[in-house]
């Protein structure tokens, strides 16, 4: 379940939830296997920015808004996540849009304990103001609407990676899957050379699966990818996924830019 903490009465849309958060909520609505967690909507992010006087630098240990801390703890308790490691991710307004992905520019903090959560939230927000993103921050709506922050259960995956519903290099209408054993961050960040599988959309996934190292996962993964492309993104999709104990989880989905 994905819960939304929204500090004011406002429409829940991409401006409020940011790119990742919006598509995450859409995937939950389609009953796709997303990881449980919380989205702090843009109004809440603005509240945090104002409270800690956030700019380009953040000093650890600053006080976090007590009323907001209480709401987050209540949501984590309802989701049974108070004793689980967490991952804190950006979901800024223009991030993961059809025009710009901002891939890798904003901070993601994995394996966060509850005691470190408050600093982690502010550190993720502060990455919006970092020098590495300044080149992108020349549009008025980006500066005025930073977007949301996502807090989810952190999974130590057995397999993880990305799936493109078209080949982003050639434009061919084929699935391209890149994966590794363990955590998928190394695939997303380009730190390793992942294993690759290219699958024609005309091939029966069950027939193809026998030749791959993720044979038990492939049919379900391709099924989810088709739903995301058709009913969530409404076009070519870049999907981050992981598998734990034989179950697949979709971490995020975004439009493939340039198509």
């Amino acid at each position: 379940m994905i819960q939304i903490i929204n500090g004011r009465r406002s429409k829940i849309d991409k401006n409020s939830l940011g790119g990742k958060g919006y598509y995450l909520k859409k995937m939950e609505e389609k009953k796709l296997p997303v990881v449980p967690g919380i989205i702090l909507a843009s109004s809440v992010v603005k509240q945090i920015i104002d409270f800690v006087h956030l700019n380009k630098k953040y000093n650890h240990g600053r006080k976090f808004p007590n009323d907001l801390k209480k709401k987050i703890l209540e949501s984590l308790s309802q989701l049974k996540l108070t004793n689980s490691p967490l991952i804190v991710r950006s979901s800024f307004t223009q991030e993961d849009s059809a025009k710009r992905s901002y891939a890798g520019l904003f901070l993601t903090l994995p394996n966060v304990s509850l005691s470190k959560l408050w600093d982690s939230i502010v550190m993720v927000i502060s990455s919006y103001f970092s020098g590495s993103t300044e080149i992108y921050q020349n549009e008025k709506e980006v500066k005025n609407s930073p977007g949301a922050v996502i807090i989810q259960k952190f999974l130590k995956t057995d397999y993880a990676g990305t799936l493109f519903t078209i080949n982003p290099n050639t434009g061919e209408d084929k699935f391209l899957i890149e994966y590794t054993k363990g955590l998928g961050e190394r695939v997303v960040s380009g730190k390793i050379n992942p294993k690759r599988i290219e699958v024609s959309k005309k091939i029966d996934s069950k027939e193809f699966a026998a030749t791959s190292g993720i044979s038990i996962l492939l049919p379900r993964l391709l099924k989810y990818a088709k739903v995301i492309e058709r009913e969530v993104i409404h076009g070519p999709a870049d999907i981050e996924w992981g598998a734990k104990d034989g179950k697949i989880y979709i971490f995020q989905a975004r439009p493939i830019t340039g198509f």
Side-chain angles (χ1 to χ4, degrees):
M1 181 179 180
I2 304 295
Q3 294 190 6
I4 297 171
I5 296 180
N6 195 21
R8 300 170 188 167
R9 292 183 179 179
S10 61
K11 186 178 180 181
I12 300 300
D13 56 15
K14 194 178 289 187
N15 285 331
S16 178
L17 302 183
K20 289 190 187 80
Y22 175 78
Y23 290 123
L24 190 63
K25 196 62 182 173
K26 295 290 286 185
M27 288 190 290
E28 183 189 43
E29 290 172 1
K30 298 298 179 182
K31 302 189 184 304
L32 292 163
V34 299
V35 181
I38 302 165
I39 303 173
L40 305 181
S42 60
S43 57
V44 171
V45 170
K46 289 176 183 177
Q47 178 186 345
I48 296 170
I49 291 171
D50 292 342
F51 187 89
V52 300
H53 305 292
L54 188 61
N55 48 38
K56 292 185 179 180
K57 292 183 180 180
Y58 172 64
N59 295 323
H60 297 277
R62 286 185 182 176
K63 291 183 178 180
F64 195 87
N66 284 330
D67 57 336
L68 179 55
K69 185 183 288 190
K70 182 179 179 181
K71 289 179 182 178
I72 293 172
L73 287 172
E74 287 174 352
S75 291
L76 290 174
S77 178
Q78 290 171 9
L79 295 169
K80 299 181 180 180
L81 296 181
T82 50
N83 295 318
S84 298
L86 303 167
I87 184 167
V88 185
R89 298 186 289 147
S90 64
S91 181
F92 297 131
T93 304
Q94 298 298 318
E95 189 178 3
D96 297 336
S97 71
K99 294 181 180 179
R100 291 176 176 173
S101 70
Y102 290 73
L105 291 183
F106 298 112
L107 193 61
T108 293
L109 295 176
N111 205 15
V112 173
S113 66
L114 187 60
S115 64
K116 301 291 185 182
L117 178 59
W118 321 113
D119 264 344
S120 298
I121 292 170
V122 182
M123 287 171 65
V124 168
I125 297 172
S126 70
S127 70
Y128 166 78
F129 298 97
S130 71
S132 62
T133 63
E134 284 181 351
I135 191 171
Y136 288 92
Q137 295 176 11
N138 57 4
E139 299 175 52
K140 183 177 179 181
E141 66 270 24
V142 178
K143 290 184 179 181
N144 292 339
S145 303
V149 170
I150 300 171
I151 305 163
Q152 289 176 287
K153 182 177 181 178
F154 175 67
L155 295 178
K156 294 183 178 180
T157 51
D158 302 319
Y159 288 95
T162 59
L163 186 155
F164 302 94
T165 62
I166 63 170
N167 188 314
N169 301 313
T170 66
E172 291 181 274
D173 192 26
K174 295 181 178 180
F175 294 115
L176 178 63
I177 303 164
E178 297 181 340
Y179 72 97
T180 185
K181 287 186 176 181
L183 302 179
E185 174 58 28
R186 295 178 299 164
V187 176
V188 176
S189 64
K191 293 180 180 178
I192 64 164
N193 291 321
K195 294 182 179 179
R196 284 187 179 86
I197 303 172
E198 190 174 60
V199 187
S200 168
K201 291 182 178 178
K202 297 179 181 179
I203 293 178
D204 188 320
S205 60
K206 292 182 180 179
E207 177 183 337
F208 184 85
T211 67
S212 79
I214 51 170
S215 57
I216 197 168
L217 305 174
L218 192 57
R220 284 174 289 152
L221 186 57
L222 297 183
K223 177 183 176 182
Y224 298 149
K226 290 176 182 177
V227 174
I228 292 169
E229 181 179 51
R230 184 177 64 247
E231 301 181 28
V232 177
I233 302 298
H234 303 291
D238 172 356
I239 300 163
E240 291 182 23
W241 61 274
K244 177 71 174 176
D245 298 328
K247 183 173 181 179
I248 295 173
Y249 296 89
I250 306 299
F251 298 138
Q252 68 181 65
R254 61 170 76 90
I256 298 179
T257 55
F259 290 92

